[in-house]
Amino acid sequence: MRTCAFLTKRMSFVFILFTLFSFKGAAQQDQTLILAGSTLNGCSKKTTLGCSTQNKSVFSVTNDNIAQIKLNWPTNNTTNQTNVLSILRTLSSKKEKAMSKSELLWQWRDINNEQLNDLTKQEFNFVFDMLEQPHSQANLKAEPQSNDLLQFITGSLKVANPTPTLLIISAAQRDPYAQVEALKTLLPKGVTSQWLPLTPALAKAITNNTCSDLPALRHSQMNLYNRSNVHPELTKAEQTLCNNGIEALVNLINTSTGVLFSDGTAKNALKALYDENSTAYPWTNALKTRPVIVGLGAGSKIQSEKVYLSQHQSEAVLKAKLAPQPNALNGLNTFTYGPIFTRFSEQNQTLNLANTLNTAKQKNGDIKHGFGIDENTALVVIKSNKGNLMTVIGQSGVAHLSTQQKASSYNYSYWPARSVIDITNAGFELSERTISQALAPVKIPPLPVQRFANILTDSKLRSLTQAMCLSQEQSAVGQQDDLLINLTATNNTHYYRVNSQPYGCALSNLLFNVERF
């Protein structure tokens, strides 16, 4: 049911703005959050983002980089060092031209696959960083973007400023320099975008006045090597920003219209915003107060007050008798309503979110709501002086989970694209405008009376709840190993067909209960 096109053509920026501002009375906009559930990698005939604009790395094994690997080996494991050097000498004797990472890996595996598997993550990254070669980006070009989400970002920026500027922060990525050019081609003409070299290494250097140590800090803070050789212009920009000092950095942010936080790893992104004592850096407040904030994947996740980190898949969270407690870090708190999970349905994150809410409720009873944003979808928050509201744009939808008195029971809602959500004292509800414009129900057969197996895999939970919505079903049961997922409609449950796309049916307050048998 996936589509290569990122958004339906029917969704337009003009329609959304009309819906939002006519509903709230064209209030002056203070801030817009555009929180996408994944990176913007839609690929179609009309948009090449994530395709021809991708900055593909090249690698080469030479005597010079073999010598550098020997000299700068990052660990005390001399056995791995010796084995790596032997493999690389064999590869260099073949005198191969520059190759892709996958080509290099295949050649390495042909010689000794077991030895490659013995490398630690740090050693593996070090070797491939050292083998990477600088390469031309002259063929990169931004083609006209027809993507509605990108149009919405552009429109929001121009509402805030007729000649907007957007700062792009790629600190969430392990290698913040690698995809800068692709990120800069996100937006069409009319928006000036600029990479902000705010990396964990720069954060440490600029606050300690040790900008000359940037190369060493890339090693210690980011486990990243050889970047000044691979990306000389970008590391020079980072060096210049550091040398100019904190005041110039803050001023650059304060004069921008918006900021975009890239996808990657939330923990990496936060290292550029908070020090090791969880104290905000001097520029963090300036970033969180920009008129427009765009998040992609992990860049969306860090917008909540607390960012909950967990390596556990949904099935594992409640399979253990005592669910693992996710680690919580300080986020930006531009999104004040609860934790955010991204790639939600596609990575079967429902139970991860449920466990996070249980943990948050125990530590802070005020946190009762959680949000899951699907891939190729964005949750938009419009903040104005007359109140806030939300809408959903994109390919799929946004799930909302709220806690109940019973620890294993929740209210589950799903808001598809074109939904507008009112924020009330009691929580969140579909706006009357969305309800009044809902499509007529479709006639489909009732669901079979059965337990739906493997419900926490392959986005099956989303498919089941969508089927319940379309068929007006009152109950369904899913199973994953020894877990039962009971879905029950109550007097507060409502179904509305918001759009005709595969995940276009809105659910409000479906009772979601998890139990073990």
Side-chain angles (χ1 to χ4, degrees), residues 9-283:
K9 293 180 181 178
R10 295 180 183 176
M11 175 63 76
S12 70
F13 172 71
V14 175
F15 172 84
I16 297 171
L17 283 188
F18 173 79
T19 300
L20 293 177
F21 294 128
S22 63
F23 182 74
K24 279 294 180 181
Q28 183 179 355
Q29 180 179 314
D30 294 328
Q31 188 177 59
T32 299
L33 307 179
I34 306 169
L35 309 178
S38 62
T39 194
L40 302 185
N41 56 358
C43 177
S44 69
K45 292 181 180 179
K46 293 186 177 180
T47 173
T48 58
L49 179 61
C51 307
S52 65
T53 57
Q54 190 78 345
N55 183 13
K56 296 180 180 179
S57 301
V58 294
F59 300 81
S60 181
V61 183
T62 67
N63 290 331
D64 287 343
N65 54 32
I66 290 175
Q68 288 299 312
I69 288 171
K70 180 179 180 179
L71 182 65
N72 298 291
W73 188 255
T75 71
N76 294 324
N77 192 326
T78 55
T79 300
N80 279 355
Q81 180 190 31
T82 300
N83 290 337
V84 165
L85 294 173
S86 176
I87 295 290
L88 294 180
R89 291 188 185 104
T90 301
L91 289 172
S92 68
S93 67
K94 297 182 178 182
K95 296 183 179 180
E96 294 279 352
K97 296 180 180 179
M99 65 193 89
S100 68
K101 188 173 185 178
S102 61
E103 290 170 335
L104 179 55
L105 283 169
W106 278 116
Q107 290 194 22
W108 192 315
R109 290 189 179 104
D110 285 343
I111 298 172
N112 193 327
N113 186 54
E114 183 178 350
Q115 190 275 324
L116 181 63
N117 294 334
D118 286 340
L119 296 180
T120 65
K121 185 175 181 180
Q122 181 184 9
E123 292 168 343
F124 179 91
N125 288 334
F126 166 74
V127 171
F128 280 84
D129 282 352
M130 298 299 288
L131 297 178
E132 189 174 356
Q133 299 298 307
H135 52 285
S136 173
Q137 299 173 347
N139 293 328
L140 292 176
K141 63 178 182 178
E143 297 188 10
Q145 303 295 330
S146 62
N147 189 298
D148 285 330
L149 178 57
L150 298 179
Q151 291 177 11
F152 190 91
I153 294 172
T154 302
S156 298
L157 288 164
K158 289 185 176 181
V159 167
N161 188 323
T163 56
T165 57
L166 178 71
L167 298 178
I168 298 172
I169 299 177
S170 55
Q173 300 175 359
R174 175 187 172 266
D175 186 350
Y177 318 93
Q179 298 301 324
V180 167
E181 292 305 316
L183 286 169
K184 286 172 67 176
T185 62
L186 279 173
L187 298 176
K189 293 180 180 179
V191 175
T192 301
S193 60
Q194 175 185 347
W195 180 55
L196 184 66
L198 185 59
T199 65
L202 179 136
K204 182 68 67 173
I206 198 171
T207 51
N208 293 331
N209 198 26
T210 55
C211 292
S212 59
D213 294 336
L214 264 176
L217 288 169
R218 292 187 199 113
H219 303 170
S220 62
Q221 300 299 311
M222 303 162 64
N223 287 325
L224 200 58
Y225 307 88
N226 196 35
R227 295 305 89 185
S228 57
N229 178 51
V230 178
H231 300 289
E233 294 303 318
L234 298 178
T235 52
K236 285 179 183 177
E238 182 185 27
Q239 187 71 58
T240 300
L241 184 66
C242 192
N243 293 341
N244 288 342
I246 292 176
E247 184 177 351
L249 170 58
V250 174
N251 183 62
L252 176 62
I253 296 170
N254 280 332
T255 55
S256 69
T257 312
V259 59
L260 182 149
F261 294 89
S262 78
D263 196 8
T265 303
K267 192 172 183 179
N268 288 346
L270 293 173
K271 287 181 180 179
L273 304 174
Y274 297 95
D275 65 18
E276 58 271 16
N277 297 316
S278 299
T279 301
Y281 283 121
W283 53 84

